[in-house]
Amino acid sequence: MGRATMTGWSRHSFPEPAAFRLPYVADHAELARRTRRALLDGPGFAVVTGVPVTTMPVQDLQRFSESLLGHFGVPLPQGRGADTTRAWLVRDEGVSAYTDGRRFHENAYTSKSRGYLHLHNDRAVQPFGHEPDYLALLTHRRARQGGDTLLVDGWAVHQVLRQEFPRELDALHTPFPFDRRHVTPAGESPVVWAPVFEERGSRVHVRCNVKRNETAVELTGAPLPSDQRAALDALHHILSRPELRVSILLEEGDCLITDDRRVLHGRTAYEDHAHAALRRCLVRVMLADGSDADR
Protein backbone atom coordinates (compact mmCIF):
# COMPACT_ATOMS: atom_id res chain seq x y z
CA MET A 1 0.00 0.00 0.00
CA GLY A 2 1.93 3.06 -1.23
CA ARG A 3 1.50 6.71 -0.39
CA ALA A 4 -0.50 7.35 -3.54
CA THR A 5 -3.18 4.84 -2.49
CA MET A 6 -5.62 7.25 -0.88
CA THR A 7 -8.64 4.93 -0.78
CA GLY A 8 -7.44 3.55 2.56
CA TRP A 9 -8.13 0.20 4.16
CA SER A 10 -11.04 -1.63 5.76
CA ARG A 11 -11.34 -4.61 8.10
CA HIS A 12 -11.03 -6.98 5.13
CA SER A 13 -7.65 -5.55 4.12
CA PHE A 14 -5.93 -7.62 6.82
CA PRO A 15 -6.66 -11.34 6.42
CA GLU A 16 -3.76 -12.09 8.77
CA PRO A 17 -2.64 -10.07 11.83
CA ALA A 18 0.95 -10.46 10.60
CA ALA A 19 0.13 -7.79 8.02
CA PHE A 20 0.52 -5.08 10.68
CA ARG A 21 2.72 -6.74 13.33
CA LEU A 22 6.45 -6.16 13.76
CA PRO A 23 8.66 -8.13 16.17
CA TYR A 24 10.54 -6.15 18.78
CA VAL A 25 14.31 -5.78 18.31
CA ALA A 26 16.69 -4.33 20.88
CA ASP A 27 18.13 -1.92 18.30
CA HIS A 28 15.55 0.82 18.87
CA ALA A 29 16.81 3.01 16.04
CA GLU A 30 16.35 0.15 13.56
CA LEU A 31 12.95 -0.65 15.05
CA ALA A 32 11.93 2.98 14.53
CA ARG A 33 12.99 2.82 10.87
CA ARG A 34 10.93 -0.32 10.26
CA THR A 35 7.92 1.12 12.04
CA ARG A 36 8.13 4.40 10.14
CA ARG A 37 7.99 2.50 6.84
CA ALA A 38 4.87 0.67 8.01
CA LEU A 39 3.17 3.92 8.94
CA LEU A 40 4.12 6.14 6.01
CA ASP A 41 4.18 3.55 3.21
CA GLY A 42 1.66 1.15 4.72
CA PRO A 43 -1.64 1.28 6.61
CA GLY A 44 -0.66 4.09 8.97
CA PHE A 45 -0.32 1.86 12.03
CA ALA A 46 1.77 -1.01 13.33
CA VAL A 47 1.84 -3.23 16.41
CA VAL A 48 5.31 -3.97 17.75
CA THR A 49 5.13 -7.29 19.61
CA GLY A 50 7.25 -8.73 22.38
CA VAL A 51 8.45 -5.51 24.00
CA PRO A 52 10.08 -6.68 27.29
CA VAL A 53 8.11 -4.57 29.75
CA THR A 54 5.81 -6.86 31.71
CA THR A 55 8.10 -7.23 34.73
CA MET A 56 8.93 -3.52 34.96
CA PRO A 57 7.47 -1.31 37.70
CA VAL A 58 5.26 1.41 36.23
CA GLN A 59 7.76 4.23 36.71
CA ASP A 60 10.49 2.22 34.97
CA LEU A 61 8.05 1.44 32.19
CA GLN A 62 7.34 5.14 31.68
CA ARG A 63 11.03 5.93 31.38
CA PHE A 64 11.58 2.98 29.05
CA SER A 65 8.70 4.00 26.79
CA GLU A 66 10.15 7.49 26.35
CA SER A 67 13.55 6.02 25.51
CA LEU A 68 12.09 3.44 23.11
CA LEU A 69 9.81 5.85 21.28
CA GLY A 70 12.26 8.73 21.31
CA HIS A 71 13.91 7.07 18.30
CA PHE A 72 10.63 7.44 16.41
CA GLY A 73 9.81 11.05 17.20
CA VAL A 74 9.92 13.73 19.88
CA PRO A 75 7.78 12.83 22.95
CA LEU A 76 5.38 15.67 23.78
CA PRO A 77 4.29 16.85 27.26
CA GLN A 78 0.84 15.65 28.30
CA GLY A 79 -0.01 17.90 31.18
CA ARG A 80 -0.85 21.43 32.24
CA GLY A 81 1.47 24.03 33.69
CA ALA A 82 4.40 22.44 35.48
CA ASP A 83 3.24 18.91 34.61
CA THR A 84 5.52 17.81 31.78
CA THR A 85 4.61 14.11 31.81
CA ARG A 86 5.48 12.55 28.46
CA ALA A 87 4.44 8.99 29.28
CA TRP A 88 0.74 9.12 30.21
CA LEU A 89 -0.78 6.21 32.12
CA VAL A 90 -3.95 4.87 30.50
CA ARG A 91 -5.75 3.01 33.27
CA ASP A 92 -9.03 3.11 35.14
CA GLU A 93 -9.02 5.82 37.79
CA GLY A 94 -12.75 5.83 38.43
CA VAL A 95 -13.54 8.44 35.78
CA SER A 96 -16.67 8.09 33.69
CA ALA A 97 -17.15 9.48 30.22
CA TYR A 98 -20.64 10.48 31.36
CA THR A 99 -22.02 12.35 34.34
CA ASP A 100 -24.67 10.87 36.63
CA GLY A 101 -27.26 12.52 34.40
CA ARG A 102 -25.84 10.64 31.37
CA ARG A 103 -24.44 13.86 29.94
CA PHE A 104 -21.04 13.53 28.27
CA HIS A 105 -18.38 14.54 30.80
CA GLU A 106 -16.55 17.24 28.84
CA ASN A 107 -13.84 17.74 31.48
CA ALA A 108 -13.02 14.06 32.01
CA TYR A 109 -9.97 12.20 30.73
CA THR A 110 -11.98 9.41 29.16
CA SER A 111 -8.80 7.35 28.69
CA LYS A 112 -8.78 6.92 32.48
CA SER A 113 -12.04 5.00 32.54
CA ARG A 114 -13.09 1.47 31.66
CA GLY A 115 -16.00 2.49 29.44
CA TYR A 116 -16.36 2.62 25.68
CA LEU A 117 -14.12 5.21 24.03
CA HIS A 118 -15.54 6.70 20.83
CA LEU A 119 -13.46 6.88 17.66
CA HIS A 120 -11.23 9.93 17.40
CA ASN A 121 -7.69 11.10 16.90
CA ASP A 122 -5.93 13.11 19.57
CA ARG A 123 -4.66 15.94 17.38
CA ALA A 124 -8.26 17.02 16.75
CA VAL A 125 -8.37 18.86 20.07
CA GLN A 126 -4.74 20.04 20.04
CA PRO A 127 -4.09 18.48 23.48
CA PHE A 128 -2.01 20.63 25.83
CA GLY A 129 -1.21 22.91 22.90
CA HIS A 130 0.20 20.21 20.59
CA GLU A 131 -0.83 18.53 17.35
CA PRO A 132 0.82 15.11 17.64
CA ASP A 133 1.92 13.39 14.44
CA TYR A 134 2.07 9.93 16.00
CA LEU A 135 0.47 8.20 18.96
CA ALA A 136 1.87 5.16 20.76
CA LEU A 137 0.21 2.86 23.30
CA LEU A 138 2.52 0.42 25.08
CA THR A 139 0.68 -2.33 26.92
CA HIS A 140 1.89 -3.22 30.40
CA ARG A 141 -1.14 -5.26 31.45
CA ARG A 142 -4.35 -6.14 29.62
CA ALA A 143 -7.83 -6.16 31.14
CA ARG A 144 -9.48 -9.28 32.46
CA GLN A 145 -12.03 -9.03 29.66
CA GLY A 146 -12.61 -6.57 26.81
CA GLY A 147 -10.70 -3.37 26.18
CA ASP A 148 -10.14 -4.06 22.48
CA THR A 149 -8.59 -1.23 20.51
CA LEU A 150 -10.62 -0.09 17.50
CA LEU A 151 -8.94 1.51 14.47
CA VAL A 152 -10.45 3.23 11.43
CA ASP A 153 -8.59 4.64 8.45
CA GLY A 154 -9.40 8.33 7.98
CA TRP A 155 -8.52 8.00 4.29
CA ALA A 156 -11.15 5.28 3.87
CA VAL A 157 -13.73 7.48 5.63
CA HIS A 158 -12.81 10.36 3.32
CA GLN A 159 -13.23 8.11 0.27
CA VAL A 160 -16.64 6.80 1.38
CA LEU A 161 -17.84 10.34 2.04
CA ARG A 162 -16.61 11.39 -1.41
CA GLN A 163 -18.69 8.62 -2.99
CA GLU A 164 -21.85 8.84 -0.86
CA PHE A 165 -21.92 12.30 0.72
CA PRO A 166 -19.94 14.68 -1.52
CA ARG A 167 -21.76 17.81 -0.32
CA GLU A 168 -21.19 16.91 3.31
CA LEU A 169 -17.53 16.16 2.57
CA ASP A 170 -17.13 19.69 1.20
CA ALA A 171 -18.45 21.05 4.49
CA LEU A 172 -16.00 18.86 6.45
CA HIS A 173 -13.18 20.76 4.75
CA THR A 174 -14.30 23.94 6.53
CA PRO A 175 -13.36 24.84 10.14
CA PHE A 176 -15.35 23.21 12.96
CA PRO A 177 -15.16 23.99 16.68
CA PHE A 178 -13.59 21.35 18.95
CA ASP A 179 -14.13 21.32 22.71
CA ARG A 180 -10.84 20.79 24.53
CA ARG A 181 -11.80 21.72 28.08
CA HIS A 182 -10.02 18.64 29.43
CA VAL A 183 -6.69 19.48 27.73
CA THR A 184 -6.66 23.29 27.51
CA PRO A 185 -3.23 24.91 28.04
CA ALA A 186 -3.18 27.64 30.69
CA GLY A 187 -4.50 30.94 29.37
CA GLU A 188 -5.76 29.55 26.07
CA SER A 189 -9.26 29.04 24.70
CA PRO A 190 -11.13 25.82 25.48
CA VAL A 191 -12.29 25.79 21.84
CA VAL A 192 -10.08 25.28 18.81
CA TRP A 193 -11.21 25.56 15.20
CA ALA A 194 -10.00 23.30 12.39
CA PRO A 195 -11.34 21.39 9.38
CA VAL A 196 -12.04 17.70 9.85
CA PHE A 197 -10.25 16.95 6.57
CA GLU A 198 -7.39 18.94 5.14
CA GLU A 199 -5.42 18.16 1.99
CA ARG A 200 -1.66 18.44 2.44
CA GLY A 201 0.09 17.73 -0.86
CA SER A 202 -0.62 14.11 -1.77
CA ARG A 203 -2.03 13.26 1.66
CA VAL A 204 -5.22 13.96 3.59
CA HIS A 205 -4.84 14.99 7.23
CA VAL A 206 -7.68 14.23 9.61
CA ARG A 207 -8.98 15.87 12.79
CA CYS A 208 -11.93 13.84 13.98
CA ASN A 209 -13.82 13.91 17.28
CA VAL A 210 -17.54 14.20 16.66
CA LYS A 211 -18.37 14.15 20.37
CA ARG A 212 -16.10 17.13 21.02
CA ASN A 213 -17.61 18.96 18.04
CA GLU A 214 -21.05 18.51 19.58
CA THR A 215 -20.07 19.72 23.05
CA ALA A 216 -18.17 22.71 21.60
CA VAL A 217 -21.47 24.27 20.50
CA GLU A 218 -22.42 25.37 24.02
CA LEU A 219 -19.02 27.04 24.37
CA THR A 220 -19.28 28.98 21.11
CA GLY A 221 -22.80 30.17 21.96
CA ALA A 222 -24.01 29.51 18.42
CA PRO A 223 -25.48 26.39 16.81
CA LEU A 224 -23.65 24.81 13.91
CA PRO A 225 -24.85 25.88 10.45
CA SER A 226 -27.20 23.32 8.90
CA ASP A 227 -24.63 22.15 6.36
CA GLN A 228 -22.07 21.46 9.08
CA ARG A 229 -24.63 19.69 11.25
CA ALA A 230 -25.53 17.46 8.28
CA ALA A 231 -21.84 16.84 7.66
CA LEU A 232 -21.28 15.63 11.24
CA ASP A 233 -24.32 13.36 10.95
CA ALA A 234 -22.87 11.85 7.76
CA LEU A 235 -19.47 11.42 9.41
CA HIS A 236 -21.02 9.73 12.45
CA HIS A 237 -22.98 7.43 10.13
CA ILE A 238 -19.82 6.33 8.29
CA LEU A 239 -17.81 5.83 11.49
CA SER A 240 -20.47 3.45 12.81
CA ARG A 241 -19.92 0.98 9.95
CA PRO A 242 -18.31 -2.19 11.36
CA GLU A 243 -16.68 -3.11 8.04
CA LEU A 244 -14.39 -0.09 8.33
CA ARG A 245 -13.08 -1.06 11.77
CA VAL A 246 -10.12 -3.19 12.74
CA SER A 247 -10.32 -4.58 16.27
CA ILE A 248 -7.08 -5.47 18.07
CA LEU A 249 -6.72 -6.86 21.57
CA LEU A 250 -3.34 -5.54 22.65
CA GLU A 251 -1.47 -8.15 24.64
CA GLU A 252 1.12 -7.44 27.30
CA GLY A 253 4.29 -6.27 25.56
CA ASP A 254 2.43 -4.98 22.47
CA CYS A 255 3.06 -1.40 21.38
CA LEU A 256 0.58 0.14 18.97
CA ILE A 257 1.88 3.10 16.98
CA THR A 258 -0.47 5.09 14.74
CA ASP A 259 -0.15 8.01 12.37
CA ASP A 260 -2.43 10.38 14.29
CA ARG A 261 -2.89 12.50 11.18
CA ARG A 262 -4.64 9.60 9.48
CA VAL A 263 -5.80 6.79 11.78
CA LEU A 264 -8.66 7.08 14.29
CA HIS A 265 -8.70 4.99 17.44
CA GLY A 266 -11.22 3.98 20.08
CA ARG A 267 -11.78 1.23 22.63
CA THR A 268 -14.44 -1.20 23.72
CA ALA A 269 -15.52 -1.22 27.36
CA TYR A 270 -13.73 -3.65 29.65
CA GLU A 271 -13.92 -5.50 32.95
CA ASP A 272 -10.80 -5.36 35.07
CA HIS A 273 -9.11 -7.61 37.58
CA ALA A 274 -10.04 -7.29 41.25
CA HIS A 275 -6.40 -7.11 42.33
CA ALA A 276 -4.90 -3.67 41.68
CA ALA A 277 -1.53 -5.07 40.62
CA LEU A 278 -3.16 -6.96 37.73
CA ARG A 279 -5.37 -4.20 36.34
CA ARG A 280 -5.19 -2.92 32.79
CA CYS A 281 -2.42 -0.38 32.26
CA LEU A 282 -1.04 1.14 29.08
CA VAL A 283 1.45 3.95 28.56
CA ARG A 284 0.52 6.61 26.00
CA VAL A 285 3.19 8.68 24.30
CA MET A 286 2.37 11.46 21.83
CA LEU A 287 5.09 12.20 19.31
CA ALA A 288 6.07 15.01 16.99
CA ASP A 289 7.80 14.11 13.74
CA GLY A 290 10.79 16.31 13.04
CA SER A 291 10.76 15.51 9.31
CA ASP A 292 8.91 18.19 7.33
CA ALA A 293 8.75 15.81 4.38
CA ASP A 294 6.28 13.62 6.21
CA ARG A 295 3.87 16.35 7.31
Side-chain angles (χ1 to χ4, degrees), residues 3-260:
R3 293 191 186 196
T5 305
M6 298 296 294
T7 53
W9 48 259
S10 69
R11 182 180 64 190
H12 304 294
S13 301
F14 306 104
E16 297 293 337
F20 54 77
R21 295 186 185 275
L22 295 172
Y24 171 79
V25 294
D27 184 341
H28 293 168
E30 174 59 24
L31 182 62
R33 285 191 289 271
R34 295 179 187 178
T35 307
R36 183 181 294 275
R37 286 196 296 270
L39 267 63
L40 298 179
D41 297 324
F45 74 96
V47 177
V48 177
T49 62
V51 183
V53 301
T54 54
T55 60
M56 292 185 187
V58 170
Q59 289 185 335
D60 291 349
L61 175 65
Q62 290 175 285
R63 287 190 291 268
F64 176 83
S65 65
E66 287 189 51
S67 174
L68 167 67
L69 295 162
H71 291 270
F72 192 82
V74 180
L76 299 170
Q78 300 180 65
R80 293 173 170 149
D83 184 0
T84 59
T85 300
R86 287 171 168 78
W88 178 276
L89 295 180
V90 178
R91 59 187 180 184
D92 179 32
E93 295 183 358
V95 177
S96 174
Y98 293 89
T99 65
D100 291 342
R102 300 306 298 165
R103 175 184 172 81
F104 183 71
H105 202 315
E106 298 89 348
N107 292 304
Y109 293 123
T110 50
S111 62
K112 294 183 179 292
S113 72
R114 64 179 68 180
Y116 172 81
L117 187 59
H118 60 276
L119 288 161
H120 67 287
N121 61 341
D122 285 58
R123 72 192 309 265
V125 297
Q126 298 178 28
F128 311 109
H130 306 292
E131 287 192 77
D133 297 309
Y134 304 110
L135 181 78
L137 289 168
L138 177 57
T139 310
H140 191 209
R141 294 183 297 270
R142 53 168 285 186
R144 186 177 71 82
Q145 183 175 346
D148 296 47
T149 295
L150 305 174
L151 301 178
V152 168
D153 189 351
W155 289 1
V157 173
H158 188 270
Q159 181 67 14
V160 173
L161 286 164
R162 183 191 301 277
Q163 295 171 349
E164 300 181 19
F165 298 94
R167 182 180 302 175
E168 287 78 6
L169 178 59
D170 287 343
L172 290 167
H173 280 82
T174 62
F176 280 74
F178 290 86
D179 174 3
R180 62 166 179 174
R181 274 175 280 191
H182 60 311
V183 291
T184 307
E188 296 190 18
S189 172
V191 177
V192 291
W193 293 79
V196 175
F197 296 106
E198 183 179 13
E199 295 185 14
R200 296 276 190 92
S202 63
R203 300 169 73 84
V204 172
H205 285 195
V206 183
R207 296 180 181 88
C208 182
N209 194 322
V210 175
K211 181 62 70 175
R212 299 289 178 181
N213 292 133
E214 294 172 344
T215 60
V217 170
E218 69 180 58
L219 296 178
T220 64
L224 288 174
S226 59
D227 62 331
Q228 288 196 327
R229 180 67 262 177
L232 287 184
D233 289 343
L235 179 59
H236 184 271
H237 174 69
I238 300 302
L239 291 176
S240 67
R241 295 184 179 181
E243 67 271 17
L244 293 181
R245 300 181 179 187
V246 169
S247 178
I248 304 172
L249 180 58
L250 296 174
E251 301 288 351
E252 296 171 356
D254 283 352
C255 184
L256 169 69
I257 306 176
T258 68
D259 186 337
D260 199 54

